[in-house]
Amino acid sequence: MEQEGIVSGSTVIPRVDSGKLALIVHINSVLSAYAAMLDFSADDLSELDRATAWFKYSLDLQSAYKATGEATVALKNAIRDGSPTGKAVIPTLPILTPPPGEPFLDVFGYLSNVITRIRIHKNYTEAIGKALYIIPVQSLPVDPSAMQPVLNADFKGGHPRVLWAMHGMDALELEADHGDGHFSLLTIDMTPNHIDTTPLPPAGTVVLWRYRAIYRLRDEQVGNWSQVLEVSVKGI
């Protein structure tokens, strides 16, 4: 797991939500193996599981509504201006079931205390710290002028999902060319990754969509544009 983080108190807290989720999910899955040695009770493990579930739910909910919001804008634009395919997709609102009980607040204040408790325990060892990913890593300063996004893609519901990593930046500015030979702004995203909800080509046809991106830091473009990512998109 890549540890992109800052030292907070006595523990490493990732900067971005995807890193935070990866850390708490990992600790939640591994800590039980050391629970007896570190004096964590079944109730302690249950509380960690509840914190993990609520944070994951909050991110899933945010991602689902973000995708729905983008689909809603695409529908509005198609209704207002027309669509190259002559079709438009009506989005559906996401339905996600929350974890039981009241929402868990200040998950990472809680997790910081859990990690501090582990690291000051008399039975704590460096091997345990490495197994739980809780040893701070000294990292070299990042030169924003040298940053260049790396884009990859998969598909979700037939639509391309552009994959990228934060690497300590504030946001990603993503442009797309949907087959007309011109790049235009698709989104400025503060969390990876992005589903392109642009209406698909006519059924049975394939169009080459292209993407490029540049990082943003403090509301300014920084570094270099990514290499162009080409994705063959088929109408369904």
Side-chain angles (χ1 to χ4, degrees), residues 34-40 114-125 128:
Y34 303 96
M37 183 186 303
L38 298 172
D39 296 320
F40 275 76
V114 167
I115 298 175
T116 299
R117 174 181 166 185
I118 293 170
R119 293 181 64 195
I120 65 174
H121 194 279
K122 60 183 175 59
N123 292 332
Y124 173 79
T125 64
I128 293 174

Side-chain angles (χ1 to χ4, degrees), residues 74-188:
L75 174 65
K76 180 265 294 181
N77 290 344
I79 291 174
R80 184 189 64 196
D81 303 323
S83 166
T85 65
K87 297 180 180 179
V89 177
I90 299 176
T92 57
L93 292 175
I95 300 176
L96 297 176
T97 303
E102 291 295 315
F104 195 114
L105 304 183
D106 193 19
V107 166
F108 287 90
Y110 158 77
L111 186 66
S112 180
N113 290 335
V114 167
I115 298 175
T116 299
R117 174 181 166 185
I118 293 170
R119 293 181 64 195
I120 65 174
H121 194 279
K122 60 183 175 59
N123 292 332
Y124 173 79
T125 64
E126 184 175 343
I128 293 174
K130 288 181 178 179
L132 294 171
Y133 299 159
I134 60 173
I135 295 178
V137 176
Q138 296 296 325
S139 59
L140 296 175
V142 174
D143 178 7
S145 66
M147 297 297 291
Q148 182 181 34
V150 175
L151 305 181
N152 289 288
D154 60 12
F155 287 86
K156 188 170 184 178
H159 289 263
R161 181 173 64 161
V162 181
L163 310 175
W164 56 281
M166 289 291 292
H167 292 304
M169 299 294 102
D170 291 339
L172 185 88
E173 183 174 327
L174 181 63
E175 293 188 346
D177 166 16
H178 293 116
D180 61 4
H182 300 284
F183 282 102
S184 58
L185 180 65
L186 182 62
T187 187
I188 295 177

Side-chain angles (χ1 to χ4, degrees), residues 177-181 201 206-211 229-233:
D177 166 16
H178 293 116
D180 61 4
V206 177
V207 176
L208 187 68
W209 288 5
R210 302 190 301 153
Y211 301 93
L229 172 69
E230 296 184 341
V231 181
S232 296
V233 180

